Each structure stands twice: as C-alpha cells, then as structure tokens.
C-alpha cells in the first residue's frame, strides 16, 4: 500500500507531537515529508532524527545552524515559505497544528492545492472559514477536523444529509470555573485557571476554556465547517467530556461520538479518513462511567460565549475581531495586566467599536485583524 505523505505545521506543539506519535505507531501507512515549527530547536532536532523529513521549516534565525548540522534535510523559512511548501505534489495530507492567525495562509494554500487538510487550528476557520470552505469546494480538497468536538460532529454527520439536521449539540467540559459563583470571577488568578480539569493544553486555550470563548470559537468553526446556521448549534456543558459532541436529526434521533479524552483519536481519524485503524489506547469502560451529565451554559456567568454567538450572527469581519481582541485580552490577563473578567470587557469594547465588513475578502480580514489587535491593546492600556 502506498504510504500517505504527511506535512505537520506546528510539529513541536502538543497536537503536532501527538500527530507524530500516531504516525510512529503506523510506519507502514504514513511517511513524514515536512515538519514546520517556530522556535523549539531541540525538539525539532530530535524529530528530524526520528522521522527523517525531507523538508523542515523554522523561524529564519535558526536556519544557519540547523543547515550545518542536518545536511540531508532541506530547510525553509517558516514565515515565508509555508504556502508554497504545502502545495508540493509530494504531500498528501497537511496537518495544521500551529496556533494563531499565521496558519491562515498555509491553510488556504493547502486547500487551494486540493490537499486533504486536518486542521486543529481554530483561528483560520474563525477568521476566514467561508473563504476556506469555498476554496475547498472549488479544488475538491477534503477538510477533516482534528479538534475533538468538530471531529465528533464530522463523524456523526458522515454519510448523512445535512438537510435532515435539527441541531448540533456541541459539548464543553465547562472549564476551570464551572462550579465557581459569578461574583468570585473577578478574583480568579492565572494559577487558578491553568489548573484545568480535563484536557492538557496550552495557556491561551486553557483561559479560553475557562471563559467559554473557546466554545464560542468552536460554534463559529462548526458553522463554517458544516454549513449550519448558528442557531442550530447548541452548546451543552458535559463535565465528564466523554461525549465529544452530538448531532440531532429532524425526527428527534440523536447520534453521539464517545471516546477517551486523548487527542490521538481524532488526529488518527483525520489522517486515515475514510478508513479507521486500530489504536493502542486504553478503551472507554462504559461500566466504570456510571453517569454522563449535562447542563445548559450560564450565559450571565460566561458572557464571552454570548459575545461569540453575536459575532457569529453578524458574520463578516466580526469573528476576526472577536478572535484578535480575545488574543490580546488573554495575553494581558496572563501577564497580570487585567482581571479575569476584564477579558470579556476588552473583547466586548473592541467589537463595539468595529465597523463590520460583510462578505469580506482576505485583505478585509487581515485589516480587521490588525485593527482589532491595536484597538484591544489601547483598551488594555486604559484599564490596566
Ligand atoms: Mg475543542
């Protein structure tokens, strides 16, 4: 069988590392062609030794030394060369595991080149989901999401008619503050937040899980990925995080995807789709589970989710502004410049100053992104 040739953008982050573990478990099925990372030089060196990629892209400052030490690898500048690299004919699947808006251009290039794309990155879909999906329709590119909830929805919808869809139940573990009363939210410290109960993740996404903004981004992602109106996407708090999302059809039938909380599961599915392969993970023990519980999200306690729904309904450049302002606000919170509750106010105030551009092109999106970052920064400086 011909091996699938894989590119991993963001190979040194947690999704990238897990994707490489999946690949290492099936050496007869996959081959690593391209690895891209930003600054983690030591980790990329060990990945080069273990996976022998043909191409590696890194931030330009690291290139001279890397070139000297690994003469069999061709090195590229990650900032400049990724769009061209992912379009190469010798790449079948592109895993977008890098975070941030920088993923947008390589993501779009991979889609335009008709690749199978496995995105874990949220920002690109939130900012430019319509442009990406339209490009995929034109090129025939298949997008199989890696994010656990989107993967669940994808699996539940597989082979079914979206016309028969009544609603999507997007599940959320509830984040670090699920049980804390609203009045106490402005006393919450960075340390409190980073002790997240269910998934091991980076600091930004852990804060976004605590505000439920992460779920808000996922509402927008799902809206784009599955072409579903935002009012058909219902967020459901499910603290056990066993059901990764559900799909409810017009006849009242609900299909759910369950699994252990391990990212290797959705990553492997994205790489092998439409096939499945065995996975050497501890399996879900349904008898041990005892109970699965659900509750509606409290929008007064988690106003960021409400903001995200509003931005999703507005569409245009509003989701871009939501994403950019949130990034600045979370960074300010992590640096101790603003309170936890300040994250929401910074995003809300930035959105209220924004003049929305309907049906934006890529340039409108980039402009709105830059504008929102600057505006949010101004608001942070004023309140801190
Ligand atoms: Mg998720």
């Amino acid at each position: 069988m011909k091996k699938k040739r894989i590119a991993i953008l963001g190979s040194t982050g947690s999704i990238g590392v897990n994707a490489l573990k999946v690949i290492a478990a099936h050496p007869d099925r996959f081959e690593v062609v391209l690895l891209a990372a930003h600054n983690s030089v030591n980790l990329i060196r060990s990945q080069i030794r273990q996976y022998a990629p043909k191409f590696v892209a890194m931030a330009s400052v690291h290139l001279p030394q890397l070139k000297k030490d690994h003469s069999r690898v061709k090195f590229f500048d990650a900032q400049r060369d990724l769009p061209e690299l992912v379009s190469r004919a010798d790449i079948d699947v592109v895993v977008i595991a890098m975070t941030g808006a920088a993923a947008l251009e390589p993501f779009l290039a991979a889609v335009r080149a008709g690749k199978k794309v496995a995105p874990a990155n949220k920002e690109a879909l939130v900012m430019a989901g319509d442009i990406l999906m339209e490009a995929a329709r034109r090129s025939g590119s298949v997008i199989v999401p890696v994010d656990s909830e989107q993967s669940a929805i994808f699996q539940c919808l597989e082979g079914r008619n979206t016309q028969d869809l009544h609603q999507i139940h997007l599940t959320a573990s509830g984040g670090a503050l699920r049980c804390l009363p609203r009045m106490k939210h402005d006393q919450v410290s960075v340390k409190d937040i980073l002790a997240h109960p269910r998934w091991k993740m980076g600091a930004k996404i852990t804060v976004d899980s605590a505000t439920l903004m992460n779920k808000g981004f996922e509402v927008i992602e799902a809206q784009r990925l599955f072409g579903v109106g935002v009012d058909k996407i219902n967020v459901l708090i499910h603290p056990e995080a066993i059901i990764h999302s559900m799909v409810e059809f017009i006849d009242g039938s609900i299909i759910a995807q369950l699994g252990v909380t391990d990212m290797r599961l959705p990553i492997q599915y994205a790489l092998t789709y439409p096939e499945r392969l065995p996975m050497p993970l501890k399996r879900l023990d349904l008898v041990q589970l005892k109970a699965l519980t659900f509750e509606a999200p409290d929008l007064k306690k988690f106003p960021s989710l409400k903001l995200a729904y509003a931005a999703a309904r507005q569409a245009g450049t509003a989701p871009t502004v939501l994403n950019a302002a949130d990034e600045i606000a979370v960074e300010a919170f992590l640096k101790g410049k603003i309170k936890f509750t300040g994250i929401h106010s910074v995003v809300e105030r930035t959105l209220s100053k924004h003049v929305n551009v309907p049906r934006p092109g890529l340039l409108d999106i980039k402009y709105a992104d830059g504008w929102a970052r600057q505006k949010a920064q101004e608001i942070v400086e004023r309140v801190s």
Side-chain angles (χ1 to χ4, degrees), residues 3-22:
K3 287 185 191 179
K4 276 191 181 154
R5 297 163 298 181
I6 316 280
I8 301 180
L9 313 191
S11 67
T12 56
S14 92
I15 298 285
V17 166
N18 275 308
L20 286 169
K21 280 186 196 161
V22 168

Side-chain angles (χ1 to χ4, degrees), residues 122 147-149 214-215 218:
K122 291 205 164 81
D147 196 5
S148 61
E149 294 81 357
N214 181 55
K215 216 39 65 174
E218 288 178 3

Side-chain angles (χ1 to χ4, degrees), residues 242-359:
I242 296 295
I243 295 180
H244 301 312
S245 277
M246 296 178 263
V247 162
E248 181 177 345
F249 294 95
I250 45 175
D251 58 0
S253 187
I254 298 179
I255 295 182
Q257 188 263 337
L258 291 73
V260 291
T261 48
D262 191 307
M263 284 310 291
R264 280 174 289 173
L265 202 59
I267 291 169
Q268 178 170 295
Y269 182 72
L271 292 181
T272 60
Y273 169 83
E275 292 173 73
R276 289 185 189 267
L277 284 179
M279 168 76 83
L281 287 182
K282 215 177 129 212
R283 303 185 87 86
L284 198 57
D285 184 340
L286 294 168
V287 175
Q288 286 295 314
L289 279 180
K290 305 270 188 257
L292 297 175
T293 60
F294 305 97
E295 53 195 78
D298 180 344
L299 293 184
K300 284 208 186 96
K301 204 160 121 179
F302 299 105
S304 293
L305 184 57
K306 217 169 140 185
L307 272 183
Y309 266 99
R313 273 188 206 101
Q314 271 191 53
T317 42
T320 298
V321 171
L322 179 86
N323 171 67
D326 178 69
E327 203 173 307
I328 299 297
V330 170
E331 189 186 280
F333 169 69
L334 288 170
K335 285 185 181 157
K337 283 183 165 181
I338 60 171
K339 285 185 184 177
F340 178 73
T341 43
I343 299 171
H344 166 258
S345 351
V346 169
V347 179
E348 185 178 42
R349 282 197 235 174
T350 309
L351 271 167
S352 73
K353 299 260 186 297
H354 178 57
V355 182
N356 197 24
V357 180
R359 306 192 135 270

